[in-house]
Amino acid sequence: MIDFELTNGDKEVVSLARRQAVGYQKRAKSIDRTMEFDRPDFAAQFAFEGEDDIVHVRDFAQARADDLSSLTLIEPLIYLEESYGFKPLYWQGQNADAMNVSLSGKLIEKVGTPEQVAAFSDLYLAWGMSEPNGGSDPKSLRTVAQYDAATDEWVINGEKIFSSNATHADGILVMCRAIGPKGDEGISLFVVTKDMPGYGVGPQMDKLGLRNWDTVATFFMDVRVPALNRLEGNLKDALSIFNGTRALIAGQALGYARVALDLVRERFAEGGRTLNYAGSLSTRSALEDRILRMEALWDATYLTMLHAKWHEQAHGADKFYPSLAKCKAGLMVRKLVNECMEILGPGSTSESLPVEQALRDARILDIYEGPNETQRLLMARTLLNYSAKDLN
Ligand SMILES: Cc1cc2nc3c(=O)[nH]c(=O)nc-3n(C[C@H](O)[C@H](O)[C@H](O)COP(=O)(O)OP(=O)(O)OC[C@H]3O[C@@H](n4cnc5c(N)ncnc54)[C@H](O)[C@@H]3O)c2cc1C
């Protein structure tokens, strides 16, 4: 029998995270309102816990982002985050280890030369794909890198939007159309560091949810980039990185959904009631039946997510199952949080309960890292063996 229980080590991390999160609660609520946050002083907030512990939780969660067992860990950490507003500590890592876990770090590891990996391995780089005129359709990107033969440099001009963590990152891995000595060379990948003249970061975007998540526009005005900073890879390589991360988004969704579901279960248990799993439909109350159906949907999503990651580890990188997990999770979390709010009544919209924030934070899950409509297209293409040209 396969056991999806947390290991003792994972339980320790979750319990440490919970202790730290409780201390962070008040500040998290204020960030959700004001969006004012400043990474460097996070450690000071937790001086009472000791900095080593903070680094431990964050690095542990991040370093295992590719590991099947980490999926069982991500859900409870997201749950804590939603209950206590914990995100900045462990998601927004900005240290040497981030190289292995950020989208950009993974891409550099995949396509970088040994010289490039050595040059950029200590950097935390944001991911610059989406633009005002194109995110789902990266072929339409307008940011351009023009080769300058006189200096052997590339000159980048353009704009990116929704660049996560760019405010505090060391720079950005930017996708742009390369115009080389022989003309258009297609979408290429460039490392831009924050000390390069002409690179700029905009103000925080005022968002519905994920308000403690650094999300800004980035600008490139004649940014001169040395030849070393152009990676060998192309758009296909960049998109392939998402195959490994989409299942993690399902982990996020499960954490948000459980916040709402737990509250409903808590209310149900008030007065000593217990859920009747054994009885038939006719012996259960309507409320019990709704809770059981929601639990079944949550479990099905959890297993879909684990299956996606298991499939990747057993059979190699794959597009279909991560997309399936992401689609299912996006639909699941919207249905569950909304249904729980119906059951909990108008009080659930109050800021004093975490449900309204779960509703806001979860809304993005079936949009970012590729909207669900495009995930469905992707799955259909895989099943039917169609190219992007055949089905778009
Ligand atoms: C909080 C947050 C963080 C983000 N972080 C990053 C980041 O770090 N780096 C980055 O590059 N981007 C980031 N993004 C951007 C995000 O990945 C994109 O917004 C997302 O992929 C959608 O792309 P788009 O904005 O171009 O929307 P569009 O592609 O314009 O999509 C708009 C709508 O059209 C639908 N649609 C699009 N194409 C099709 C089609 N072929 N068939 C049917 N329907 C279609 C979509 O489903 C969607 O509902 C972030 C966004 C948010 C909100």
Side-chain angles (χ1 to χ4, degrees):
M1 169 113 167
I2 301 174
D3 183 4
F4 294 127
E5 273 290 297
L6 293 185
T7 63
N8 285 339
D10 286 354
K11 279 183 190 156
E12 230 172 78
V13 172
V14 171
S15 118
L16 180 58
R18 183 179 294 274
R19 288 208 308 280
Q20 292 178 350
V22 170
Y24 188 67
Q25 215 167 3
K26 205 166 152 202
R27 184 172 157 77
K29 202 76 230 167
S30 135
I31 291 174
D32 185 50
R33 285 199 196 102
T34 62
M35 291 186 58
E36 282 169 15
F37 54 91
D38 181 15
R39 287 202 64 258
D41 72 344
F42 282 144
Q45 299 291 319
F46 290 88
F48 59 92
E49 282 285 0
E51 203 170 327
D52 286 351
D53 282 353
I54 297 167
V55 172
H56 176 60
V57 173
R58 185 190 60 205
D59 289 355
F60 193 89
Q62 288 192 332
R64 294 180 50 191
D66 267 347
D67 183 342
L68 180 62
S69 61
S70 77
L71 288 171
T72 55
L73 185 59
I74 271 173
E75 187 278 326
L77 287 176
I78 288 288
Y79 172 79
L80 284 175
E81 165 193 315
E82 274 313 282
S83 308
Y84 305 108
F86 191 47
K87 182 182 290 108
L89 281 179
Y90 65 88
W91 284 118
Q92 308 220 19
Q94 185 194 343
N95 57 8
D97 287 349
M99 164 81 187
N100 306 319
V101 295
S102 69
L103 293 172
S104 307
K106 286 174 195 294
L107 185 51
I108 292 170
E109 271 183 352
K110 178 174 175 166
V111 301
T113 60
E115 198 187 356
Q116 287 171 327
V117 172
F120 307 129
S121 66
D122 281 348
L123 303 181
Y124 178 80
L125 299 169
W127 178 264
M129 181 178 278
S130 302
E131 292 188 0
N133 58 305
S136 308
D137 179 19
K139 286 201 190 85
S140 64
L141 299 184
R142 290 194 186 148
T143 300
V144 165
Q146 176 86 46
Y147 184 64
D148 181 353
T151 58
D152 191 24
E153 287 172 323
W154 293 85
V155 184
I156 301 181
N157 278 288
E159 177 186 353
K160 296 287 169 184
I161 51 171
F162 304 122
S163 307
S164 295
N165 301 326
T167 312
H168 301 291
D170 300 310
I172 186 163
L173 198 161
V174 62
M175 276 133 253
C176 39
R177 189 161 291 286
I179 310 294
K182 291 184 187 147
D184 189 343
E185 297 179 7
I187 305 294
S188 288
L189 320 166
F190 293 87
V191 172
V192 170
T193 49
K194 65 180 175 192
D195 55 346
M196 290 178 174
Y199 172 55
V201 173
Q204 283 301 321
M205 185 185 161
D206 199 354
K207 306 190 293 298
L208 169 81
L210 289 189
R211 291 171 63 80
N212 53 7
W213 184 262
D214 177 9
T215 316
V216 291
T218 42
F219 308 95
F220 308 83
M221 284 160 288
D222 289 330
V223 181
R224 292 195 156 263
V225 173
L228 173 73
N229 291 34
R230 183 190 182 185
L231 303 176
E232 270 308 306
N234 56 25
L235 181 60
K236 207 170 164 193
D237 295 310
L239 294 175
S240 74
I241 299 300
F242 291 127
N243 297 336
T245 57
R246 284 199 173 115
L248 304 180
I249 293 187
Q252 269 183 279
L254 287 157
Y256 297 137
R258 189 153 67 88
V259 169
L261 199 49
D262 265 4
L263 207 57
V264 167
R265 285 190 282 232
E266 222 173 80
R267 290 285 162 86
F268 182 83
E270 279 168 12
R273 286 182 292 181
T274 51
L275 282 166
N276 173 9
Y277 288 96
S280 64
L281 254 183
S282 59
T283 60
R284 269 185 228 131
S285 69
L287 175 56
E288 262 178 307
D289 195 56
R290 284 178 88 173
I291 297 174
L292 261 52
R293 282 173 197 275
M294 287 195 287
E295 287 184 343
L297 180 57
W298 193 97
D299 286 349
T301 309
Y302 187 61
L303 293 174
T304 309
M305 169 187 83
L306 290 183
H307 177 265
K309 215 62 191 172
W310 165 81
H311 193 275
E312 176 194 307
Q313 287 173 11
H315 303 288
D318 168 83
K319 287 183 202 161
F320 184 84
Y321 292 107
S323 295
L324 184 68
K326 183 175 181 286
C327 278
K328 185 162 184 64
L331 291 173
M332 176 280 298
V333 69
R334 278 199 278 141
K335 180 174 164 47
L336 252 65
V337 177
N338 274 303
E339 192 163 346
C340 289
M341 288 181 91
E342 264 171 44
I343 293 170
L344 293 164
S348 63
T349 60
S350 157
E351 279 195 357
S352 62
L353 294 179
V355 193
E356 61 86 28
Q357 193 182 335
L359 182 80
R360 289 186 285 111
D361 285 355
R363 188 58 193 86
I364 189 60
L365 297 183
D366 47 17
I367 301 177
Y368 71 2
E369 285 212 16
N372 277 7
E373 282 82 358
T374 53
Q375 299 310 308
R376 288 193 193 94
L377 270 178
L378 228 146
M379 288 190 280
R381 276 183 212 142
T382 312
L383 286 176
L384 300 168
N385 206 13
Y386 281 177
S387 69
K389 228 178 184 176
D390 296 328
L391 189 62
N392 54 55

